[in-house]
């Protein structure tokens, strides 16, 4: 039995799929990797059946935060963020590099604090593209990591951009969309209720 069933892949798109737009939504969901209680499982075949192609390309379970913890949102300027999933490695050891780059216009202490909080720390991100598809950077074994790059720059001339560029990478054995929760994780879960 094969793990994933092959199928015809038609070039023609459905009416909805013809609305194809590049870029990512300039609002990320993020948090500390070690504050996640439950990571969604990757799609897997059963003993009786293989996965369909579309099922093999998506995570359907929810990311759940630990008790009293929550995820946060990070907004940045429009049209200055990108996300990619690229195959990497040698034959027999191919994996996928998820790369997220975004720019916060103007160097400010809030973003510098974010850089300090995320350096050398495993993070997770949920990224949405402009077609409405979400992607999860992080799993129960690995987190997204801040990468060296341009960082905060003032520019030279008064017409130059004063901005902070952030780059995060995550390596996964699978290329997957995320179809789990993106709302409940923004509120603290099962926070202790005062008795009395």
């Amino acid at each position: 039995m094969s793990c994933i069933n092959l199928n015809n892949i038609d070039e023609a798109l459905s009416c909805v799929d013809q609305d194809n737009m590049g870029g990512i939504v300039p609002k990320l969901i993020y948090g500390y990797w070690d504050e996640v209680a439950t990571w969604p499982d990757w799609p897997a075949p059963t003993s009786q059946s293989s996965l369909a192609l579309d099922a093999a390309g998506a995570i359907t379970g929810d990311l759940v935060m630990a008790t009293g913890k929550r995820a946060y949102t990070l907004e940045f300027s429009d049209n200055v963020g990108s996300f990619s999933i690229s195959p990497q490695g040698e034959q027999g050891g191919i994996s996928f590099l998820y790369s997220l780059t975004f720019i916060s216009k103007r160097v400010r202490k809030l973003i510098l604090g974010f850089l300090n909080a995320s350096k050398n720390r495993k993070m997770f991100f949920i990224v949405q593209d402009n077609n409405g598809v979400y992607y999860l950077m992080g799993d129960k074994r690995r987190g997204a990591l801040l990468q060296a790059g341009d960082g905060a720059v003032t520019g030279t001339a008064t017409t130059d951009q004063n901005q902070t560029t952030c780059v995060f990478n995550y390596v996964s054995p699978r290329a997957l969309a995320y179809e789990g929760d993106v709302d409940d994780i923004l509120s603290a879960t099962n926070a202790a209720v005062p008795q009395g």
Side-chain angles (χ1 to χ4, degrees), residues 19 21 23 25 127-135 178:
D19 295 334
M21 195 168 145
V25 174
V127 182
Q128 184 182 25
D129 70 22
N130 280 329
N131 294 319
V133 179
Y134 287 94
Y135 308 91
Y178 173 68

Side-chain angles (χ1 to χ4, degrees), residues 31-55:
Y32 286 129
W33 175 88
D34 56 4
E35 292 184 353
V36 174
T38 305
W39 292 92
D41 291 326
W42 291 324
T46 65
S47 58
Q48 290 81 28
S49 63
S50 303
L51 285 169
L53 277 179
D54 57 349

Side-chain angles (χ1 to χ4, degrees), residues 32-40 62-69 124 140 185 189-190:
Y32 286 129
W33 175 88
D34 56 4
E35 292 184 353
V36 174
T38 305
W39 292 92
D62 293 336
L63 179 129
V64 179
M65 300 301 292
T67 301
K69 302 298 182 181
F124 75 84
K140 60 188 171 186
I185 59 173
T189 60
N190 303 319

Side-chain angles (χ1 to χ4, degrees), residues 62-112:
D62 293 336
L63 179 129
V64 179
M65 300 301 292
T67 301
K69 302 298 182 181
R70 56 165 288 198
Y72 298 86
T73 58
L74 189 157
E75 296 183 19
F76 56 92
S77 304
D78 203 5
N79 298 321
V80 292
S82 67
F83 175 79
S84 64
I85 303 175
S86 305
Q88 65 174 8
E90 297 180 7
Q91 193 64 39
I94 299 288
S95 62
F96 294 92
L97 176 65
Y98 291 49
S99 294
L100 169 65
T101 302
F102 59 92
I103 297 172
S104 177
K105 297 292 185 175
R106 195 171 187 277
V107 177
R108 53 194 174 125
K109 60 185 179 182
L110 192 63
I111 295 299
L112 295 177

